[in-house]
């Protein structure tokens, strides 16, 4: 899918450059250089962003249906969207407004919390492997195996050597996903500390938002520089050709949403799923149906 | 929620009578008397139905968010929507167009297929219990434990005495769900045999629909009267005060969708979920946040 191209919905996209290219973490990437207020590649503002999101929702939904249908034939393709971010960066909004446009029957969503006792008794990838999407599905990880190298190192829950072992295990795991035709789209939503402060303050100001607030959110916030360094390390170690990272500036929620939608569309378009051929004799079944008076 | 009442979305509903009342299976109910072409209680046609569906989508979504939030406090309420129907009756459309309007983070959807070998090695309710929604969720069963008494009796997969045991087990199971504040909304979508024929014919006519067709669908179709009798038996045995059945005429897809949406809204409104109180000192956290310069 090239930028500026009519993406099949009857209007020309406001994307001037593809998020899959300009947001991709490549060699020499420096997280601190990303401006969370920026809107790379998109030619409009909030109004255009919302219009683009709405206009492409049907395209995303239709392409997902083809992905699902193709899995009823021989295709094994699936997509796995990995979402990582500091608190309040907007993961939930991505799930609600981007993923929410897709038929729920084609989505497998997992929100990973602190591991349970059973999960801790296995290797860190055990609970992850169990949630890898089946053929035809868009899997979504709200937090993921990357927590085990992020909070794992920031909170010193594991020794440095164990963190390194986990990085190697992650590379091996994601490489195997690629072998199984599961396209991994890894997204980090980047907000600024000031924007986080505003968003946490809103949760404290509004009684209908209190349930979203946890005092631990401020504990994590105080470790901001450590998390940024841990993310930088994650990008250097795990942004591969097969499973690259995309860092999405997220101070503007509308931008983050439309950018992640476009990244999903790019992944689906690359798969180019096809309606499967019937595995039955269509004419024979038409005759049977015609004769079936009940 | 009373019919004709403004349901909080700024417009007056087109419902003249509540689906929760007029579609409910009570004493003396006869499935054969239901007209699949009818649109009970609704004062408009397709245009008004689609408008109602769109207008109430936000209300459904907002109420679900409160249900979810309440579970972060002391509330244990959840909703379980059970969908049963003959093939092509529109279960998938309900999931996509009604449930799809809700934040995917608050929905737990399970499509039950023929049981696996592992599932068959347990009692029939084993796989069902594992998918009962957690507090705060809307659980959706696309097919359910009722298959074990429907196809179970029609296809003679179990002895009559075993079917009766299952009925008792289902009553006990659903009664326990009620004790856990899980509201069960059981919906059977009723289409006519002719309408099914048209819908199956469309799947055979359109190559992009072939993947939805299975020759076995016609085998099941030929057992139509047996399935109707089995459903009648299900309604007599299991439409209880706590977990009633609703039979929704479904030849008009728009009607079935807006009726099920209204049934969900009625269940959520009866719960009347409230934002939970903060379990932390709000002013103290505001002060911490203010001091947290990073």
């Amino acid at each position: 899918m090239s930028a500026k191209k009519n993406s099949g919905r009857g209007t020309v996209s406001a994307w001037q450059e593809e998020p899959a290219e300009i947001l991709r973490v490549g060699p020499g990437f420096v997280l601190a250089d990303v401006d969370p207020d920026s809107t790379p590649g998109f030619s409009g503002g909030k109004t255009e962003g919302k219009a683009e999101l709405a206009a492409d929702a049907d395209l995303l939904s239709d392409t997902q249906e083809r992905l699902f249908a193709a899995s009823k034939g021989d295709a094994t393709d699936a997509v796995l969207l990995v979402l990582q971010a500091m608190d309040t960066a907007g993961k939930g909004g991505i799930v609600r407004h981007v993923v929410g446009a897709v038929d729920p029957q084609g989505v497998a969503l997992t929100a990973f919390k602190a591991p349970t006792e059973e999960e801790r008794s296995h290797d860190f990838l055990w609970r992850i492997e169990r949630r890898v999407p089946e053929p035809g599905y868009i899997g979504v990880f709200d937090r993921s195996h990357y927590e085990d190298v992020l909070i794992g190192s920031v909170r010193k829950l594991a020794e440095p050597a164990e963190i390194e072992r986990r990085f190697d295990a992650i590379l091996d795991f994601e490489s195997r996903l690629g072998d199984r035709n599961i396209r991994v789209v890894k997204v980090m939503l980047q907000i600024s500390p000031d924007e986080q402060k505003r968003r946490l303050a809103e949760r404290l100001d509004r009684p209908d938002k209190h349930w979203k607030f946890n005092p631990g959110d401020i504990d994590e916030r105080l470790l901001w520089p450590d998390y940024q360094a841990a993310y930088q390390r994650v990008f250097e170690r795990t942004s591969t050709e097969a499973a690259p990272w995309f860092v999405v500036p997220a101070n503007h929620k509308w931008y983050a949403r439309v950018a992640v939608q476009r990244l999903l569309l790019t992944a689906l378009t690359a798969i180019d799923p096809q309606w499967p051929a019937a595995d039955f004799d269509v004419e024979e079944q038409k005759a049977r149906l015609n004769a079936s008076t009940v």
Side-chain angles (χ1 to χ4, degrees), chain A residues 26-217:
Chain A
F29 174 86
V30 178
L31 178 58
D33 290 347
V34 173
D35 177 2
D37 272 319
S38 64
T39 58
F42 196 80
S43 64
K46 185 172 183 173
T47 304
E48 292 77 18
K50 288 194 160 189
E52 181 96 8
L53 190 71
D56 272 352
D58 286 346
L59 179 62
L60 185 65
S61 179
D62 291 349
T63 316
Q64 185 282 322
E65 190 185 5
R66 270 198 291 138
L67 179 74
F68 192 80
S71 74
K72 304 299 172 187
D74 294 332
T76 60
D77 302 279
V79 172
L80 174 59
L81 174 66
V82 173
L83 294 172
Q84 286 287 157
M86 300 296 286
D87 287 323
T88 78
K91 290 187 283 87
I94 298 287
V95 173
R96 183 164 190 160
H97 298 281
V98 179
V99 178
V102 173
D103 189 339
Q105 295 166 101
V107 172
L109 168 68
T110 309
F112 288 102
K113 312 289 184 189
T116 63
E117 195 171 336
E118 184 188 21
E119 287 169 351
R120 279 200 310 272
S121 76
H122 295 86
D123 190 47
F124 76 107
L125 285 176
W126 179 76
R127 66 174 186 164
I128 305 293
E129 301 250 20
R130 292 158 60 98
R131 301 298 299 176
V132 167
E134 301 283 319
Y137 282 81
I138 297 179
V140 180
F141 285 178
D142 176 352
R143 304 187 188 273
S144 67
H145 42 300
Y146 284 100
E147 291 295 327
D148 296 281
V149 288
L150 288 164
I151 195 171
S153 61
V154 170
R155 290 281 183 185
K156 300 188 173 38
L157 304 175
E159 297 293 320
E162 167 62 10
I163 298 291
E164 289 307 309
R165 184 194 71 80
R166 291 180 186 174
F167 273 126
D168 289 336
I170 287 171
L171 289 170
D172 178 60
F173 166 62
E174 293 182 355
S175 163
R176 281 184 283 118
L177 294 185
D179 295 343
R180 289 162 60 190
N181 295 327
I182 300 168
R183 281 177 192 256
V184 187
V185 179
K186 301 188 292 198
V187 168
M188 189 268 192
L189 303 174
Q190 176 72 329
I191 55 170
S192 63
D194 284 353
E195 180 64 20
Q196 189 194 48
K197 195 175 203 173
R198 274 190 290 276
R199 294 184 186 182
L200 287 173
E202 192 194 4
R203 291 183 180 181
L204 286 168
D205 282 339
R206 291 177 51 177
D208 63 329
K209 299 283 185 191
H210 284 168
W211 66 279
K212 291 190 174 186
F213 181 87
N214 187 311
D217 296 347

